[in-house]
């Protein structure tokens, strides 16, 4: 059995089930032949895999075993994907291999490419030339021998699924750009738009198959106006958002509950117009809200489902945190300038809007908040941060602001630590919904988030539990989580991370910044967390000057991707280039 084989090698018994789930029925055989395949199991580190291999192979186990080096390359790429990268510089991979005891990193990369563990790319070179560059050679007379300074050759390594997704996405976007029909007259609809920015968006979409629209929370009114205008022209128009909350907000702006569906619902077929005989969505216009949360695999799947002639609008706030999955689709589309870009001129109102607007350009300062829209609560340590947070949610915000605890969301930097989501949720549960946690740690009435897939966080509350599983109410939709999935996919959610909160808003938000949170702060993190509150923002502040320093000096973490050059290389004669 796979379980016996995994534990026989000295790996923790807890890895047996995940190994079997990852490697399948042949897990025992695969691990016997190649013990480093254990690295394919999520959460396994090289030290564990090396120990497992030594227990099985004994003296045959060495740091340059090709099975080990290939697995390490794959592990490095998978870890990079978790950080948002779809590719890595070959030099970076070689350096990381050397740090893991590999004595010939170049040979290890060459072997990994030959075995199909990774693909190799270099803009402007064919695959054979790129492989030569990855090996540190060029196969020809070097520039130095010719008397010229050699040009650096950036070579990227990537996993095939992300490479295929980026190439498919680029081709699909190019197809939409060049297949857009321009027969419909949108002039009257644009003239009747509720704002100048909405009118500009309508006019731009009238003549383009792909449009990038950017702006803050108030700018969501513009795609809502676009949907209404398109429907008024008899077109099949729909918006999609990443969260149920985003769907409700767009539908409210458009005045039509049918105006938007969740992205997951659209792709699964449980919501939206369905597909035509060719498998494409029966749509003339699709607006994707919260576009920065769009990862490359989901984006490729979405664009592949759009028929020629369908207009696509990617709309979002470029200052928020990026997708949980690999890629930076919205940022790459903006940077490539392969389509028209409409920048909203509608500012977010009030003290919170003023504060967040400054953060977006790297500045944070005091704002005039006569209605206590923004409140700073200084704390000395994590214990006090937890205490003040519970006090704010349970007492102060309901009493002073008029927002009940059920409409107040806590956001903190990470899950661990003395004031992370785990500690805060435990304290908030004890105050707001105490209980024994008899249903796998949960009680009826507990506020939770269900994570059915990586990167998807669905808020809800616990209703009950039985032999079938844990019963949740997720914004009016009943969800049953099987017992064996509860521990891994359900979390208390009085407190969330900013990544989990992206794409959603609440009447009041409490952002918790204990002293040990300083290293996790960045401008996009602060912008995202602070902009989740509609009426009120409390900041439990214990990081001193780390907060303004993060806003001023720590921009978004760069992600290595290939989508931008792929888009720039597309033949797009009909694309309207923004100035």
């Amino acid at each position: 059995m796979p379980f016996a084989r995994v534990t026989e090698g000295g790996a923790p018994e807890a890895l047996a089930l995940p190994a079997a789930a990852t490697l399948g029925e042949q897990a025992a055989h695969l691990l016997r032949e190649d013990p480093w395949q254990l690295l394919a199991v999520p959460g396994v580190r090289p030290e564990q895999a090396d120990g497992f291999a030594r227990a099985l192979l004994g003296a045959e186990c060495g740091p340059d075993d090709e099975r080990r080096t290939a697995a390490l390359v794959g592990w490095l790429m998978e870890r990079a994907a978790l950080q948002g990268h779809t590719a890595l510089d070959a030099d970076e991979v070689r350096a990381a291999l050397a740090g893991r005891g590999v004595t010939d990193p170049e040979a290890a990369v060459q072997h990994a490419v030959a075995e199909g563990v990774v693909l190799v790319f270099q803009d402007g070179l064919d695959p054979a030339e790129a492989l030569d560059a990855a090996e540190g050679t060029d196969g020809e007379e070097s520039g130095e021998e010719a008397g010229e300074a050699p040009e650096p050759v950036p070579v990227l390594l990537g996993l095939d699924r992300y490479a295929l997704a980026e190439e498919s996405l680029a081709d699909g976007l190019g197809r939409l750009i060049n297949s857009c029909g321009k027969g419909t007259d949108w002039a009257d609809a644009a003239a009747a738009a509720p704002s100048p920015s909405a009118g500009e968006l309508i006019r731009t979409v009238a003549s383009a198959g792909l449009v990038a629209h950017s702006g803050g929370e108030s700018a969501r009114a513009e795609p809502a106006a676009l949907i209404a205008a398109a429907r008024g022209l008899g077109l099949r128009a729909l918006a999609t958002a990443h969260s149920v909350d985003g769907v409700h907000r767009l539908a409210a702006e458009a005045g039509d509950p049918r105006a938007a569906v969740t992205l997951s619902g659209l792709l699964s077929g449980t919501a939206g117009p369905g597909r035509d005989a060719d498998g494409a969505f029966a749509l003339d216009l699709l607006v994707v809200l919260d576009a920065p949360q769009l990862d490359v695999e989901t984006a490729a799947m979405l664009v592949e489902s759009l028929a020629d002639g369908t207009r696509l609008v990617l709309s979002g706030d470029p200052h928020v945190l990026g997708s949980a999955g690999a890629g930076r689709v919205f940022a790459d589309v903006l940077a490539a300038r392969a389509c028209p870009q409409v920048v909203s001129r509608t500012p977010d109102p009030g003290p919170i809007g003023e504060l967040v607007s400054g953060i977006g350009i790297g500045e944070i300062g005091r704002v005039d908040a006569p209605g206590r829209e923004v409140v700073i609560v200084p704390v000395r340590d994590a214990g006090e941060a937890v205490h003040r947070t519970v006090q704010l949610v349970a007492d102060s915000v309901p009493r002073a602001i008029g927002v009940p605890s059920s409409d107040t969301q806590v956001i903190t930097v990470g899950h661990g630590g003395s004031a992370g989501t785990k500690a805060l949720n435990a304290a908030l549960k004890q105050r707001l919904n105490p209980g024994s946690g008899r249903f796998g740690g949960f009680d009826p009435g507990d506020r939770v988030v269900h994570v059915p897939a990586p990167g998807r966080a669905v808020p809800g509350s616990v209703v009950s539990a039985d032999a079938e599983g844990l019963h949740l109410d997720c914004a009016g939709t009943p969800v049953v989580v099987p017992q064996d999935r509860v521990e891994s996919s359900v979390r208390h959610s009085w407190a969330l991370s900013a990544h989990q909160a992206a794409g959603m808003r609440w009447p009041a938000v409490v952002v918790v910044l204990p002293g040990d949170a300083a290293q996790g702060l960045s401008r996009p993190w602060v912008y995202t967390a602070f902009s989740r509150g509609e009426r009120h923002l409390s900041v439990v502040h214990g990081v001193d000057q780390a907060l303004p320093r993060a806003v001023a000096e720590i921009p978004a973490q760069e992600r290595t991707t290939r989508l931008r050059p792929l888009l720039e290389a597309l033949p797009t004669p009909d694309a309207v280039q923004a100035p």
Side-chain angles (χ1 to χ4, degrees), residues 27-266:
H29 172 73
L30 292 172
L31 291 171
R32 186 184 304 113
E33 295 296 317
D34 181 358
W36 284 283
Q37 288 211 30
L38 192 64
L39 270 179
V41 178
V44 173
R45 295 190 57 78
E47 295 82 5
Q48 293 172 292
D50 285 340
F52 180 62
R54 282 193 297 271
L56 286 180
L57 303 178
E60 299 178 22
C61 178
D64 291 308
D65 189 304
E66 288 185 335
R67 295 170 294 182
R68 177 180 187 264
T69 61
L72 280 174
V73 170
W75 178 79
L76 288 168
M77 301 305 301
E78 292 287 359
R79 189 174 66 164
L82 293 174
Q83 298 171 342
H85 305 287
T86 61
L88 283 179
D89 189 288
D91 286 340
E92 186 176 344
V93 175
R94 285 192 284 261
L97 290 172
R100 292 283 173 182
V102 177
T103 59
D104 192 346
E106 288 190 8
V109 168
Q110 181 180 0
H111 173 70
V113 173
E115 290 295 309
V117 176
V118 290
L119 303 178
V120 59
F121 309 96
Q122 203 280 330
D123 294 337
L125 296 184
D126 63 31
E129 292 175 316
L131 180 57
D132 284 338
E135 297 170 11
T137 65
D138 60 13
E140 299 179 358
E141 182 182 15
S142 70
E144 288 181 305
E145 293 171 347
E148 301 175 359
E151 290 291 332
V153 183
V155 180
L156 298 179
L157 302 177
L159 296 172
D160 58 355
R161 70 176 186 271
Y162 297 122
L164 292 172
E166 286 185 309
E167 290 165 6
S168 172
L169 177 57
D171 290 343
L173 293 176
R175 173 176 58 84
L176 296 180
I177 289 170
N178 290 304
S179 64
C180 173
K182 303 179 177 63
T184 305
D185 184 0
W186 298 61
D188 290 342
S195 70
S197 290
E200 182 184 1
L201 179 60
I202 292 170
R203 285 191 296 272
T204 304
V205 171
S207 60
L210 175 67
V211 174
H213 169 258
S214 59
E217 288 295 328
S218 294
R220 297 172 84 93
E222 294 152 24
L226 170 64
I227 294 293
R231 290 191 167 195
L233 293 169
L235 300 178
R236 300 168 299 174
L238 185 72
T240 182
H242 286 262
S243 67
V244 173
D245 172 66
V247 167
H248 289 166
R249 284 186 285 133
L250 189 284
E253 290 278 5
D256 185 350
R258 303 165 301 168
V261 299
T262 62
L263 180 58
S264 60
L266 178 66

Side-chain angles (χ1 to χ4, degrees), residues 313-324:
V313 177
L314 299 178
S315 176
D317 190 334
H319 299 301
V320 301
L321 288 165
S323 63

